Amino acid sequence: MGYREVYEGWKADPEGFWMQQAEAIDWVKPPTKALFAENAPIYEWFADAEVNTCWNAVDRHVEAGNGDRVAIIYDSPITGRQAKITYAELQDRTARLAGALATKGVVKGDRVIIYMPMVPEALVAMLAVTRIGAIHSVVFGGFAANELATRIDDATPKAIIAGSCGIEPGRVVPYKPLLDGAIDLARHKPDFCVIFQRPEAEASLIAGRDFDWNAVQEGVAPAPCVPVKGNDPVYVLYTSGTTGQPKGVVRPTAGHLVALNWTMKNIYNIDAGDVFWAASDVGWVVGHSYICYAPLIAGATTLVFEGKPVGTPDAGTFWRVISEHGVKALFTAPTAFRAIKRVDPKGEFLAKYDLGCMDILFLAGERADPDTIHWAQDMLKKPVIDHWWQTETGWTIAGNPMGIEHLPVKIGSPTVAMPGYDVQILDEAGKPLPAGELGAIAVKLPLPPGTLPTLWNAESRYLKSYLSTFPGYYETGDAGYMDEDGYLYIMARTDDVINVAGHRLSTGGMEEVLAGHPDVAECAVIGVSDPLKGQLPLGLLCLTSGVDRPHDQIVAECVKLVRDKIGPVAAFKLALVVDRLPKTRSGKILRATMVAIADGKPWKMPATIDDPAILDEIAAALKTLGYPA
Ligand code: COA
Ligand code: AMP
């Protein structure tokens, strides 16, 4: 069967399609039906089933006689360490950590925050939490204490599992002071913390609250897998929205298992025993779905890579890892390839390695620009497959289903809608637009299994953010068009979210931080184009009247403030002081016009502008920073 038949088959009988995929999962109690629409527009999948995620990702492979198969390869060029963990070892490790958590009182439904670098123990922690039916919330290591505190208050975890440090090129990042700071800042306090000590920076533990990862597991009975209901959350993952308050995307257990298992073969063409490498971080959705869960559910080998595409130690690292470990498919963000191309445009490092094991490169997380795709195709001589998805969906909305059929690639398009997604381009009134016309990209409800049914603690925010603009549809927040062949083109976000090096960031969140500087009366943060990271945040600051301190001093303080409050991952390094911000007559800041000016793109004078002269002032100010580049 080709893609068209599979897609039409799903459309003709969505429930039958997903019930068939559900047969690949080990159920404690199988679902009696697929879709539960009683609370529409909040939909649930496989809600009456009972199941455990860790069992499906780990134990069942051991039980099937594959305990000796490698589950996790750890390759850390930044520390020089490597390790291999079999499924049997992974079962033992998760059961012991789960036993320790259970002994300390973590039970089904409790939340556990995980704040860890790219080490196998991060996956062990995620699986151990799901093993006892608790709900994890992984926080990316590049976020500062304040962001961690916000998540602690929202998720109200019983426990936090953290690494003692992360390692970035040229510096060790001690996590423990950030963790302590976050717990101090948060209103909610966890009962206890488990700290995984790394030799690069051992953390001092607070007696009675903090427990060493190894010590806490001593003499503890390994925990069995605890069944949960199909619609119980397996995790909550916070992502950027338009404000500083992140959105807690809820991932229900059963749909997550069924959908991810389907994607591994059908989208990535990965079978049990193959080596799959998602070069991302466990703190992002790509890391949840494709470093941890999907490869393990499918019985494949996943690669945990602690390093960067360049500089650890060189631009050949990716090629070494692929050839050394027999990687069949690599999944990363285009920015990683732009980084490699910048250092090694002719692919001289590539020539040193045999990439015969590798079949496909998958790209996602941000727009894949044609230059990067062409370069990757020329260098690798393999299919380069773009695909489009979001934290909210947890898996591909539009892609090229390589395990079903390799559809012709159209550069600039992540290809076509996957089964489960009825993708439409809508005009402002919610009317479907004809092929080729630009509009808001929406997905007809219900969304498929594995996608978010709601936001943690924030159902009305879920309804307002995603379901209210176009009744009957999920609003993706992306704009684009579809061609005559059903190929999608993702052009821009329709909200204040920007994408920096494949990381999703909120300009609204940065504005909230900048507005907290005592000398800043008003500000705007825009995402300007960057040849390496795709976009970079740039702040425009209006000062409180009477402030006469040097502007470069205030700018430096603002840069530090964002780094301290949001974290280095915000990559906020560009800011300028301006006299006024351009606004509409109703007071809305004209951010999109400023972006066009900074990027040197054509723009029209907005009809509703209050004072057109301000745009000249902004253009002159941006020039001082070298924009347009
Ligand atoms: N812990 C602490 N700090 C972190 C961090 C972590 N886990 N991850 C990133 N940072 C820091 C970086 O060290 C950097 O700090 P600096 O300002 O002192 O240099 C800052 O956050 C910005 O990080 P980033 O935007 O990633 O820039 P970079 O220069 O470190 O690396 C790339 C650029 C392109 C090499 C890197 O972003 C990359 O490999 N991206 C592609 C893969 C990916 O992770 N995609 C995510 C979703 S699929
Ligand atoms: P995240 O939730 O961090 O995965 O970010 C999701 C957003 O990243 C999407 O809404 C898009 O704006 C962007 N994005 C992800 N993948 C792609 C892609 N293949 N092409 C264009 N944009 C993408």
Side-chain angles (χ1 to χ4, degrees):
M1 252 203 296
Y3 160 75
R4 199 44 59 205
E5 292 80 53
V6 174
Y7 189 80
E8 292 307 329
W10 159 72
K11 230 175 168 180
D13 180 14
E15 296 217 42
F17 178 89
W18 289 116
M19 280 305 267
Q20 196 183 346
Q21 308 320 325
E23 286 170 18
I25 297 304
D26 256 19
W27 303 99
V28 176
K29 182 168 160 262
T32 59
K33 60 173 187 163
L35 183 66
F36 289 72
E38 292 76 6
N39 299 323
I42 306 267
Y43 292 92
E44 292 169 343
W45 291 94
F46 312 112
D48 68 356
E50 284 182 24
V51 68
N52 181 274
T53 297
C54 186
W55 174 271
N56 276 278
V58 184
D59 297 56
R60 67 163 167 166
H61 304 307
V62 180
E63 199 174 65
N66 295 316
D68 292 341
R69 188 186 288 159
V70 175
I72 300 173
I73 298 171
Y74 171 52
D75 189 309
S76 170
I78 208 150
T79 63
R81 291 185 204 117
Q82 287 199 1
K84 285 190 174 146
I85 299 169
T86 66
Y87 273 97
E89 286 163 347
L90 186 58
Q91 181 186 35
D92 178 54
R93 291 197 196 188
T94 53
R96 278 194 290 118
L97 181 62
L101 296 174
T103 306
K104 292 225 141 311
V106 178
V107 297
K108 182 152 91 176
D110 283 344
R111 274 79 56 212
V112 177
I113 279 187
I114 297 173
Y115 187 57
M116 294 190 79
M118 281 295 290
V119 291
E121 285 75 11
L123 277 64
V124 171
M126 292 162 82
L127 292 161
V129 171
T130 67
R131 191 173 185 89
I132 51 175
I135 301 165
H136 63 66
S137 188
V138 182
V139 179
F140 179 62
F143 282 125
N146 198 52
E147 290 287 322
L148 183 54
T150 307
R151 287 153 176 80
I152 293 173
D153 277 335
D154 199 65
T156 57
K158 189 169 266 181
I160 300 182
I161 305 175
S164 63
C165 67
I167 302 156
E168 286 294 292
R171 71 180 198 279
V172 170
V173 183
Y175 281 9
K176 189 61 186 353
L178 297 169
L179 174 64
D180 291 343
I183 295 174
D184 281 349
L185 280 170
R187 286 183 310 278
H188 172 84
K189 310 290 173 196
D191 287 0
F192 68 99
C193 301
V194 175
I195 308 296
F196 175 69
Q197 296 283 18
R198 307 191 74 192
E200 287 78 10
E202 292 217 0
S204 56
L205 306 185
I206 297 176
R209 189 198 75 182
D210 300 338
F211 298 88
D212 172 74
W213 171 281
N214 293 315
V216 80
Q217 298 183 38
E218 268 165 30
V220 160
C225 295
V226 174
V228 300
K229 289 255 165 58
N231 61 340
D232 283 343
V234 55
Y235 69 77
V236 175
L237 176 59
Y238 289 89
T239 190
S240 301
T242 33
T243 67
Q245 177 68 28
K247 295 167 164 172
V249 168
V250 172
R251 191 81 59 212
T253 300
H256 179 242
L257 285 165
V258 173
L260 288 191
N261 184 67
W262 181 84
T263 64
M264 223 49 233
K265 176 64 193 168
N266 291 282
I267 296 180
Y268 299 100
N269 200 25
I270 291 292
D271 291 299
D274 289 340
V275 181
F276 186 74
W277 177 21
S280 177
D281 188 286
V282 283
W284 308 119
V285 70
V286 175
H288 280 62
S289 294
Y290 293 106
I291 297 172
C292 186
Y293 291 111
L296 297 178
I297 293 164
T301 299
T302 187
L303 210 142
V304 172
F305 172 76
E306 190 183 23
K308 303 268 172 178
V310 294
T312 59
D314 55 40
T317 305
F318 271 29
W319 323 134
R320 176 194 58 79
V321 171
I322 292 167
S323 66
E324 197 171 320
H325 302 299
V327 171
K328 191 173 171 205
L330 166 65
F331 173 177
T332 192
T335 190
F337 268 72
R338 289 197 295 270
I340 297 171
K341 179 178 166 219
R342 178 182 271 200
V343 177
D344 183 22
K346 295 203 188 95
E348 282 161 15
F349 279 103
L350 193 59
K352 298 185 195 167
Y353 299 95
D354 176 4
L355 300 195
C357 56
M358 181 184 171
D359 285 352
I360 311 168
L361 168 67
F362 290 95
L363 297 175
E366 58 173 328
R367 196 177 121 76
D369 54 291
D371 275 0
T372 304
I373 297 188
H374 283 302
W375 185 79
Q377 283 174 335
D378 291 349
M379 290 294 141
L380 296 171
K381 315 250 176 315
K382 323 236 177 225
V384 176
I385 303 298
D386 182 17
H387 59 322
W388 168 63
W389 50 296
Q390 318 182 300
T391 305
E392 288 85 344
T393 65
W395 62 282
T396 310
I397 309 170
N400 198 329
M402 297 299 280
I404 300 175
E405 180 184 358
H406 181 181
L407 295 168
V409 168
K410 296 192 193 183
I411 304 250
S413 166
T415 321
V416 292
M418 290 297 95
Y421 295 96
D422 180 352
V423 180
Q424 309 220 358
I425 311 295
L426 305 179
D427 69 10
E428 277 178 14
K431 218 170 82 264
L433 285 164
E437 283 194 34
L438 190 71
I441 311 180
V443 183
K444 206 145 194 239
L445 293 173
L447 290 176
T451 58
L452 85 171
T454 189
L455 294 174
W456 184 256
N457 281 338
E459 188 159 298
S460 57
R461 187 177 183 195
Y462 169 70
L463 296 171
K464 188 162 173 283
S465 311
Y466 300 103
L467 306 189
S468 69
T469 311
F470 306 116
Y473 292 89
Y474 162 83
E475 184 185 7
T476 65
D478 284 310
Y481 63 94
M482 199 183 271
D483 73 9
E484 304 278 352
D485 301 323
Y487 279 56
L488 262 175
Y489 293 78
I490 316 298
M491 305 310 287
R493 289 287 303 189
T494 56
D495 55 14
D496 296 329
V497 166
I498 58 170
N499 200 312
V500 179
H503 307 139
R504 176 167 159 180
L505 299 167
S506 164
T507 53
M510 292 185 221
E511 288 174 3
E512 284 173 28
V513 170
L514 293 171
H517 187 286
D519 293 347
V520 173
E522 194 180 23
C523 64
V525 174
I526 56 173
V528 297
S529 293
D530 181 72
L532 175 65
K533 296 193 180 183
Q535 285 182 299
L536 279 181
L538 184 153
L540 297 126
L541 316 168
C542 298
L543 303 186
T544 313
S545 61
V547 172
D548 60 358
R549 295 196 303 127
H551 288 178
D552 53 356
Q553 205 177 327
I554 296 171
V555 163
E557 288 164 11
C558 284
V559 166
K560 183 170 181 306
L561 195 62
V562 174
R563 194 177 172 94
D564 289 348
K565 290 262 180 191
I566 297 179
V569 68
F572 183 82
K573 291 180 181 168
L574 300 169
L576 335 133
V577 172
V578 291
D579 286 337
R580 307 177 288 173
L581 290 170
K583 291 183 186 169
T584 62
R585 280 188 286 276
S586 60
K588 198 170 170 297
I589 296 174
L590 292 161
R591 292 182 181 79
T593 311
M594 291 195 282
V595 172
I597 294 172
D599 288 352
K601 295 228 175 89
W603 54 277
K604 270 202 220 124
M605 181 64 70
T608 54
I609 192 164
D610 185 34
D611 179 358
I614 301 180
L615 287 176
D616 294 332
E617 295 169 22
I618 296 291
L622 286 167
K623 268 220 176 80
T624 64
L625 270 188
Y627 288 91

